[in-house]
Amino acid sequence: MLIHDAATKCVAFVGAKKTDFEIRGTAFFAVCPIEGTNLHELYAVTARHVVEHAAERSIDGGVYLRINDASGSATWLRSDLQQWEFHEDGRIDVAIS
C-alpha cells in the first residue's frame, strides 16, 4: 500500500537529547484556521507519555522534534516541556504544542 507523499510531510519523531538524539515516539502536525482571518495555527500532537519521557531523558530537559526540511535533510527542533499542553484528565494520553 502506498502512502501519499503529503502524509510524509505531516509527521515527526519526538526525541530526547543525550550525547546524540534518542527517538522516544512520533508526532503528527495539525493545522487549524484562525477564525476571521486567512491565517492558520500549526500544532504538533503526540502522546503525553512520549513528551514526558523525552523531557525526563533529555540532558537539558528539552523535548525535540525531528522534522524534514525543504532540502530533504532532517533537523531537530527544541521545545520546553512548558510549551506542551496536556488534557486535564491525566488518563487521557495526549499532548499538543
Side-chain angles (χ1 to χ4, degrees), residues 48-97:
R48 178 185 192 133
H49 75 271
V50 169
V51 171
E52 291 175 337
H53 291 166
E56 288 170 8
R57 295 187 55 84
S58 197
I59 59 174
D60 63 359
V63 178
Y64 289 82
L65 293 176
R66 182 182 184 268
I67 61 167
N68 295 326
D69 61 27
S71 73
S73 297
T75 188
W76 288 94
L77 301 176
R78 186 184 188 285
S79 64
D80 291 316
L81 184 59
Q82 295 77 17
Q83 292 174 277
W84 291 86
E85 295 185 33
F86 307 111
H87 195 281
E88 60 190 34
D89 182 342
R91 297 173 296 176
I92 298 176
D93 193 18
V94 66
I96 300 172
S97 178

